[in-house]
Amino acid sequence: MNLSLIEGKRIIGNNICDGTIKRLYHADNLSVLKRLLKDQTVKGNIKLIYIDPPYNTGADFETRNQEFAYSDRFSIEEYIDFMRERLITMRELLSCDGSIYVHLDSNMVFHVKLLMDSIFGINNFRGMITRKKCKPKNYTRKTYGNISDYILFYTKSDSPTWNRPYDKWEEEKIKKEYPFIEENTGRRYKRVPIHAPGIRNGATGSKWRGMLPPPGKHWQYTPDKLDELDANNEIYWSSNGNPRRKVYLDQSKGIPVQDIWLDFLDVNNQNSLQTGYPTEKNLEMIKRIIEASSNEGDLIMDCFAGSGTTLIAAEELNRQWIGVDIGDVAIETIQKRLEFGSKKLSELDNSYKVKNNQGSLFEFSDNNTMETNNVSMVKEKEKSISYEFFQML
């Protein structure tokens, strides 16, 4: 997989002259990562990296049209060396408040976690997401059905960009979690204790309204704050004088997302929009990650771009992006997707070809000098996405 760099070609698309970064590289990603270390517009400015690298399954993967896509065969030592070199470079490219998500299955996830602990620091491990990837399987092997994979989440520092994601409340859940309705306002609310575990010696451990907090606990707020809540009618008093705080539904952003994701199965039916590329990931899942760990205008990178799902998600969420893949089929798939979008599974075929932007072509050597040649390319459709394409094989 370590192809040497022979020459590079760069095709400039429409509407890229404003400094916006939208790049697709057909190349060995390690070569690209090392080159990006010398690019001051990129190094230290990537807010989020999501990668879905090889899983070391020992298998070869094909598209739905039986085209060879890529080989996933390593020894354990080869795989760890392969990932280490790339992850070290990715960390250098991340911004100080940047994050990285690495999507793996059970085969190598724990090997890579130890590797990432050493590269990013164990204190920057934020969690491991378990995703339900498919419907239940009826295994004939003597084991449990394999319906999950995993996403390791690390940050570069202890101050990452973070926009907590929430699931929307469903009606049944609302009635269960917020069972009370305030008579004078009609607002739905729940009642929660105003104390918390642990003994405190300060104000939160003192008396309020003549009461001490229960043994082994303290007030969640100072007595002054509790007085303020009570004055605002945000304290409920039971018939025996037990205070509870009112928490209103209309103050909730939703249900905070946890680390088990059940709603992002891989595309699996005839009406699913997809490219036909093997291991294509769920678009909405990638959108959740991008929205949680970046803001509009930020730069996103996927250097195992595959079918281009990360690039499409970044585009739809108004982010800049860089995508890299070494595979011919992957690059063709991404270019088709950027030009035409995805199709329903039942409609997939090879009936359309990729069109490139009209623009200029640059060739550069290993010393990063560029020579310019004018070329005539076929103009993309108006709905297509403009981007820069680099071929470095």
Side-chain angles (χ1 to χ4, degrees):
M1 301 187 79
N2 294 317
L3 300 184
S4 59
L5 180 65
I6 300 173
E7 70 170 1
K9 296 181 180 179
R10 178 182 176 199
I11 300 171
I12 308 292
N14 299 326
N15 304 319
I16 297 293
C17 297
D18 60 356
T20 298
I21 296 176
K22 295 181 181 180
R23 302 179 188 173
L24 176 61
Y25 290 85
H26 185 192
D28 172 18
N29 57 15
L30 186 58
S31 297
V32 175
L33 293 171
K34 289 181 176 180
R35 281 176 171 265
L36 292 177
L37 287 175
K38 302 175 183 179
D39 187 338
Q40 297 306 308
T41 64
V42 174
K43 183 184 178 183
N45 291 321
I46 296 178
K47 190 75 67 172
L48 168 65
I49 297 173
Y50 167 87
I51 57 172
D52 181 29
Y55 290 179
N56 198 19
T57 59
D60 295 328
F61 286 82
E62 296 181 341
T63 68
R64 289 187 175 273
N65 296 318
Q66 285 75 56
E67 288 182 286
F68 173 80
Y70 66 93
S71 179
D72 186 16
R73 300 175 184 271
F74 300 82
S75 69
I76 291 178
E77 292 77 13
E78 288 172 340
Y79 186 86
I80 292 173
D81 288 344
F82 173 85
M83 291 298 295
R84 178 188 291 110
E85 201 168 10
R86 286 156 177 80
L87 288 168
I88 288 172
T89 314
M90 285 184 231
R91 184 186 180 280
E92 293 302 306
L93 292 170
L94 276 176
S95 63
C96 291
D97 57 350
S99 301
I100 180 169
Y101 292 72
V102 180
H103 202 145
L104 296 161
D105 68 5
S106 58
N107 199 41
M108 297 301 298
V109 67
F110 300 109
H111 299 73
V112 173
K113 186 190 182 304
L114 292 174
L115 187 60
M116 295 186 74
D117 282 347
S118 68
I119 295 171
F120 289 87
I122 194 168
N123 292 333
N124 289 322
F125 171 63
R126 300 297 164 186
M128 184 170 77
I129 298 159
T130 300
R131 180 190 70 127
K132 182 179 179 182
K133 65 180 179 180
C134 62
K135 295 178 180 179
K137 296 179 179 180
N138 185 21
Y139 269 159
T140 56
R141 292 179 289 171
K142 295 180 180 179
T143 187
Y144 301 101
N146 174 22
I147 63 170
S148 62
D149 55 20
Y150 309 94
I151 305 172
L152 296 171
F153 173 27
Y154 283 76
T155 58
K156 190 171 181 178
S157 72
D158 60 0
S159 301
T161 295
W162 177 244
N163 308 307
R164 181 178 296 280
Y166 295 87
D167 286 326
K168 292 182 179 179
W169 285 104
E170 297 178 355
E171 192 64 30
E172 183 177 347
K173 187 83 170 176
I174 287 174
K175 292 178 179 179
K176 182 178 180 180
E177 293 291 325
Y178 293 85
F180 307 108
I181 298 177
E182 201 169 56
E183 289 185 7
N184 57 331
T185 65
R187 297 171 73 189
R188 187 174 284 276
Y189 71 96
K190 61 182 176 181
R191 301 165 185 167
V192 301
I194 60 172
H195 48 71
I199 298 174
R200 300 282 175 86
N201 295 320
T204 57
S206 61
K207 285 186 177 182
W208 176 64
R209 301 289 175 91
M211 297 179 292
L212 284 169
K217 297 186 178 181
H218 65 277
W219 302 123
Q220 289 188 354
Y221 306 95
T222 64
D224 288 346
K225 179 62 177 179
L226 290 172
D227 283 337
E228 180 184 333
L229 292 172
D230 196 23
N232 292 334
N233 195 32
E234 295 180 42
I235 298 291
Y236 170 82
W237 294 92
S238 68
S239 58
N240 62 357
N242 189 18
R244 292 283 188 273
R245 184 167 62 92
K246 295 180 181 179
V247 178
Y248 296 93
L249 172 64
D250 58 24
Q251 294 174 334
S252 171
K253 297 179 180 180
I255 305 172
V257 169
Q258 307 299 302
D259 62 4
I260 296 179
W261 295 0
L262 302 177
D263 300 327
F264 298 126
L265 275 63
D266 290 336
V267 286
N268 54 49
N269 63 61
Q270 293 298 305
N271 291 318
S272 297
L273 292 176
Q274 63 166 286
T275 63
Y277 188 82
T279 69
E280 179 178 344
K281 293 300 182 285
N282 187 294
L283 178 64
E284 296 305 315
M285 178 189 73
I286 306 299
K287 284 185 176 180
R288 169 179 284 180
I289 290 171
I290 290 175
E291 288 181 315
S293 292
S294 71
N295 297 310
E296 286 196 16
D298 285 342
L299 179 58
I300 314 299
M301 184 172 74
D302 184 347
C303 56
F304 293 89
S307 65
T309 302
T310 304
L311 314 186
I312 296 299
E315 182 71 25
E316 293 184 5
L317 295 172
N318 298 315
R319 271 68 167 174
Q320 303 180 78
W321 50 264
I322 295 173
V324 188
D325 208 288
I326 196 172
D328 295 345
V329 171
I331 293 299
E332 182 181 6
T333 299
I334 294 169
Q335 288 182 313
K336 285 180 179 180
R337 194 171 186 181
L338 292 171
E339 173 74 9
F340 301 103
S342 298
K343 289 187 174 186
K344 289 183 179 180
L345 178 59
S346 57
E347 298 172 349
L348 284 174
D349 58 38
N350 290 316
S351 61
Y352 54 85
K353 300 296 182 183
V354 180
K355 295 180 180 179
N356 291 315
N357 290 313
Q358 182 175 0
S360 300
L361 180 146
F362 297 82
E363 295 186 359
F364 51 92
S365 62
D366 282 338
N367 61 11
N368 291 323
T369 60
M370 292 189 179
E371 297 178 0
T372 305
N373 296 304
N374 292 323
V375 294
S376 178
M377 311 299 294
V378 181
K379 187 177 181 180
E380 287 183 347
K381 293 181 179 179
E382 290 183 1
K383 69 176 183 179
S384 62
I385 298 169
S386 295
Y387 62 96
E388 294 175 288
F389 177 62
F390 297 77
Q391 193 168 31
M392 296 164 53
L393 296 176

